[in-house]
């Protein structure tokens, strides 16, 4: 049976900190709903029981930023792929900062690995939902993939900007991300 709370507790914080991946879902007022898997160690920081910050590295799209400009709601989901079954959903209002914003340094300084940083999202948790997760299969974690961090580490900031200008300024639905 699903349980709802207003904030995280110590047990849920420990669960989140032990996860290797999570999913984020956003939707524009019209257009495609987006669900993205996320990983990369150290890209998620729990500030307190109601606040998480998440460092979003650039990739092939930028749907989350485009959607949040129309509707600042985001759902973050964690699934237990090992150990005791659990699905955890965080229903949040979000604000985000980009490198061009005055508060960028305040946010980016929370993270150790920042190469390839595109945005930092501050999630204000409105509701927490946990459910059984018994239908989620068990998986053994092998490792995080190296391809993306290898690219970030072996390319320059100028290369990153060039890529983002080409691939991250417009969503799949043609909505502006206002990245630059």
């Amino acid at each position: 049976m699903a349980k709802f709370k207003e904030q995280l507790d110590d047990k849920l914080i420990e669960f989140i900190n032990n996860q290797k991946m999570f999913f984020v879902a956003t939707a524009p007022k019209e257009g495609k709903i987006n669900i993205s898997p996320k990983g990369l160690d150290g890209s998620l920081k729990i500030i307190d029981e109601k606040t998480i910050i998440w460092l979003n590295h650039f990739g092939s799209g930028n749907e989350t930023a485009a959607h949040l400009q129309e509707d600042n709601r985001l759902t973050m989901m964690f699934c237990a792929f090992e150990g005791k079954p659990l699905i955890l959903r965080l229903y949040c209002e979000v604000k985000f900062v980009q490198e061009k914003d005055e508060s960028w340094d305040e946010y980016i300084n929370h993270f150790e690995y920042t190469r390839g940083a595109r945005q930092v999202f501050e999630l204000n948790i409105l509701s927490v939902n946990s459910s059984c997760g018994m239908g989620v299969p068990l998986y053994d974690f092998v490792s995080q993939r190296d391809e993306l961090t290898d690219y970030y580490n072996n390319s320059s900031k100028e290369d990153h900007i060039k890529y983002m200008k080409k691939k991250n300024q417009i969503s799949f639905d043609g909505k502006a991300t206002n990245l630059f």
Side-chain angles (χ1 to χ4, degrees):
M1 182 170 160
K3 298 176 188 172
F4 285 88
K5 298 180 174 190
E6 291 184 10
Q7 63 186 34
L8 297 171
D9 59 29
D10 291 341
K11 191 174 180 179
L12 294 177
I13 289 171
E14 180 181 2
F15 173 75
I16 291 170
N17 285 330
N18 288 325
Q19 300 313 300
K20 307 295 189 245
M21 71 179 291
F22 56 94
F23 301 85
V24 296
T26 56
K29 297 207 182 294
E30 291 184 22
K32 295 172 184 67
I33 296 169
N34 188 60
I35 303 170
S36 294
K38 301 296 179 182
L40 291 180
D41 288 336
S43 66
L44 194 73
K45 301 287 182 185
I46 299 172
I47 303 301
D48 59 39
E49 297 85 3
K50 297 277 290 178
T51 312
I52 291 177
I53 56 173
W54 156 47
L55 173 59
N56 187 24
H57 296 82
F58 75 83
S60 57
N62 197 5
E63 303 310 289
T64 303
H67 292 175
L68 290 173
Q69 291 179 78
E70 289 188 15
D71 187 342
N72 71 335
R73 296 177 308 141
L74 177 144
T75 300
M76 183 174 278
M77 185 179 77
F78 302 86
C79 299
F81 293 110
E82 56 190 16
K84 185 179 174 184
L86 178 65
I87 298 171
L88 178 65
R89 292 177 186 88
L90 308 178
Y91 301 97
C92 307
E93 287 182 342
V94 181
K95 84 172 191 178
F96 66 96
V97 295
Q98 302 176 117
E99 194 169 356
K100 66 182 181 179
D101 298 326
E102 281 185 35
S103 57
W104 177 254
D105 288 340
E106 172 189 341
Y107 283 90
I108 198 70
N109 287 332
H110 284 275
F111 301 96
E112 194 171 308
Y113 182 82
T114 60
R115 290 192 58 82
R118 179 173 56 194
Q119 293 108 353
V120 176
F121 295 93
E122 180 180 321
L123 287 68
N124 175 34
I125 298 169
L126 302 175
S127 181
V128 176
N129 167 244
S130 60
S131 56
C132 72
M134 291 181 202
V136 175
L138 291 170
Y139 286 99
D140 290 325
F141 177 72
V142 176
S143 70
Q144 294 286 349
R145 296 180 189 268
D146 296 329
E147 291 88 352
L148 199 55
T149 52
D150 286 350
Y151 174 78
Y152 297 150
N153 292 334
N154 294 308
S155 55
S156 68
K157 178 74 172 178
E158 292 75 27
D159 292 331
H160 299 175
I161 291 169
K162 183 178 176 183
Y163 182 94
M164 287 187 281
K165 283 185 175 181
K166 182 178 180 183
K167 302 269 189 176
N168 291 170
Q169 293 196 85
I170 303 292
S171 76
F172 300 143
D173 290 327
K175 298 173 186 303
T177 66
N178 296 313
L179 187 57
F180 295 99

